[in-house]
Structure formats: structure tokens, C-alpha cells
Amino acid sequence: MKKDIHPNYRDVVFYDTSSEYKFLTKSTIETSETIEWEDGKQYPVFKIEVSSNSHPFYTGKKMLLDTAGRVEKFNKRYAKK
């Protein structure tokens, strides 16, 4: 196998900023921030806006998560001129 062509596969903490939920899994995503996990070790952290803990489909709750202004972007893009 060729060396140095595969991404770094390691433990990463994904942090759901909308519900303060964190989970540890393996990933190849690159990030510069780190966080201390429950076991006392430092892990890279990647912040996400929606996870299974906050998504309406999985929670059964209807809530609006328009953090990026998607409705305004849509209306501006497709507004009648």
C-alpha cells in the first residue's frame, strides 16, 4: 500500500451547539480545536448545529432551526423581480 495517502482516522468529539450534546466517535475530519472528554483525555472537537439529539425527526418535537437564515436566502434568491 502507498504511504501518506490516507487521511488520519482518529477519535473526535462532535459537539451539538443547539442542545449541548457531545458524543465521541471516530472520524477523518480535520479540526484545530480540542476538548477534554469524560475520561480526562484531550480530543479534537467539531461543532455541529444539528444532531440526532436535536433534530425534530428523531426527537418528535417541532422546532425551527433556522440558524443560517435559509428562509431569507431562499426568498431573496427567488423573489419576483
Side-chain angles (χ1 to χ4, degrees), residues 11 13 24 34-44:
D11 290 326
V13 174
L24 180 68
T34 60
I35 192 169
E36 186 173 335
W37 188 244
E38 299 162 354
D39 60 2
K41 295 180 183 177
Q42 291 285 332
Y43 293 103

Side-chain angles (χ1 to χ4, degrees), residues 3 5 32-33 45 49-50 55 59 74 77 81:
K3 295 185 182 221
I5 63 168
S32 59
E33 298 179 54
V45 64
E49 295 178 1
V50 178
H55 194 281
T59 61
F74 176 83
R77 182 179 297 156
K81 295 180 181 181

